[in-house]
């Protein structure tokens, strides 16, 4: 994998200028895709603006001053992506990675209380030895549970201190969702109808305004109301 990419070919989700420089740092492989994440150096320099150069950003990472989801980042090219909680304790700064209505990645300031948890989507489930169920979540997180009616497509609130699920948000009628890909990327909608399709194609999600998308394009962010702050643009 190349260490850089031309800015003209950057993902459309990256809200940084394309014509000011020829190259942009490419993130290393990780828990997020290229389209839904940015490397730590660009996050510090271009998004949070806590430094002026990539060299300074690398020094911040080397000093273990950048915390993502409760853990210090050790790789300057580590991918920081959708729903991650980003903190710089020495500066008292906390952010959650979200999407704007235009489908651009945004770092929304949150308070210390909200920085203690993260929303994850249930990607699938696995039965492991001992009869326990392993819930495999977005962001590369896996959690063993004794019980719980978790379904693929649901979202869960995970405490970053304990690593345990503290609340779940089912993919069902009335759920508030963030559209994370497709034509309406960045939109926050309420589910009016969830249709299970008994064939290889994706299940259909119909919103209150009559628009539709498929299951893989949405991320549940609450029941009746959103659990995350709105993005101010």
């Amino acid at each position: 994998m190349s260490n850089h990419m031309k800015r003209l070919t950057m993902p459309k989700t990256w809200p940084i200028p394309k014509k000011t420089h020829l190259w942009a740092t490419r993130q290393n492989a990780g828990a997020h895709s290229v389209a839904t994440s940015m490397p730590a150096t660009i996050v510090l320099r271009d998004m949070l603006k806590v430094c002026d150069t990539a060299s300074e950003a690398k020094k911040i990472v080397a000093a273990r001053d950048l915390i993502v989801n409760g853990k210090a980042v050790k790789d300057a090219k580590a991918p920081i992506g959708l729903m991650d909680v980003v903190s710089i304790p020495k500066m008292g700064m906390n952010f959650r990675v979200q999407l704007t209505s235009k489908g651009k990645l945004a770092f929304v300031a949150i308070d210390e209380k909200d920085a203690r948890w993260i929303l994850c989507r249930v990607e699938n489930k696995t039965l492991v030895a001992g009869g326990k169920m392993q819930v495999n979540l977005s962001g590369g997180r896996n959690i063993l549970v004794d019980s719980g009616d978790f379904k693929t497509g649901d979202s869960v609130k995970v405490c970053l201190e304990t690593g345990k699920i503290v609340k779940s948000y089912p993919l069902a009628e009335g759920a508030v969702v963030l559209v994370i890909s497709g034509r309406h990327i960045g939109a926050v909608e309420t589910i009016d109808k969830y249709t299970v399709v008994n064939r290889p194609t994706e299940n259909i999600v119909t919103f209150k305004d009559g628009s539709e998308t498929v299951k893989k394009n949405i991320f549940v962010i609450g029941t009746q109301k959103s659990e995350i702050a709105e993005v101010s643009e």
Side-chain angles (χ1 to χ4, degrees):
M1 180 184 292
S2 173
N3 290 328
H4 293 79
M5 67 175 79
K6 287 188 176 181
R7 289 207 172 198
L8 289 176
T9 62
M10 288 188 311
K12 294 180 179 180
T13 54
W14 291 24
I16 60 175
K18 290 188 174 183
K19 296 183 179 180
T20 54
H21 299 283
L22 179 61
W23 300 99
T25 302
R26 183 188 181 97
Q27 64 270 64
N28 287 332
H32 298 282
S33 68
V34 173
T36 60
S37 67
M38 305 177 76
T41 50
I42 289 183
V43 169
L44 289 168
R45 184 189 63 194
D46 299 277
M47 302 302 295
L48 305 185
K49 301 187 185 300
V50 296
C51 59
D52 296 322
T53 66
S55 178
E56 292 174 351
K58 290 177 182 178
K59 290 179 181 178
I60 294 174
V61 172
R64 304 292 190 266
D65 288 332
L66 176 63
I67 309 297
V68 175
N69 299 333
K71 296 182 179 180
V73 174
K74 300 177 182 179
D75 179 8
K77 295 180 181 178
I80 298 175
L82 188 64
M83 296 300 169
D84 281 346
V85 173
V86 181
S87 302
I88 306 178
K90 288 185 177 180
M91 301 181 71
M93 301 170 68
N94 298 286
F95 304 89
R96 193 181 310 280
V97 186
Q98 297 175 211
L99 284 172
T100 69
S101 60
K102 296 181 179 179
K104 303 290 185 180
L105 289 170
F107 287 72
V108 180
I110 57 177
D111 58 33
E112 188 175 347
K113 181 181 178 181
D114 286 334
R116 296 173 184 170
W117 56 267
I118 183 175
L119 279 185
C120 299
R121 185 174 66 176
V122 178
E123 301 296 346
N124 54 63
K125 299 181 293 183
T126 307
L127 188 64
V128 298
K132 289 190 175 183
M133 184 70 68
Q134 176 176 283
V135 182
N136 305 314
L137 306 174
S138 58
R141 193 180 298 269
N142 304 312
I143 298 177
L144 288 175
V145 294
D146 295 318
S147 61
D149 187 22
F150 303 109
K151 297 180 180 178
T152 301
D154 292 352
S155 288
V156 294
K157 179 184 287 188
V158 178
C159 174
L160 293 174
E161 294 178 0
T162 64
K164 294 182 178 180
I165 296 173
V166 295
K167 194 171 183 179
S168 63
Y169 306 94
L171 172 56
E173 295 178 11
V176 180
V177 304
L178 174 67
V179 182
I180 59 174
S181 60
R183 183 183 300 176
H184 304 291
I185 183 172
V188 175
E189 303 282 0
T190 300
I191 296 179
D192 183 57
K193 185 179 180 181
Y194 179 58
T195 306
V196 177
V197 180
N198 295 317
R199 51 180 186 270
T201 54
E202 286 274 343
N203 293 342
I204 304 298
V205 181
T206 305
F207 302 126
K208 291 286 188 181
D209 64 0
S211 59
E212 293 182 342
T213 190
V214 291
K215 175 182 175 181
K216 69 178 181 179
N217 287 348
I218 63 170
F219 193 116
V220 178
I221 57 174
T223 301
Q224 303 302 328
K225 67 181 184 69
S226 174
E227 292 295 317
I228 59 178
E230 292 184 8
V231 181
S232 57
E233 302 179 54

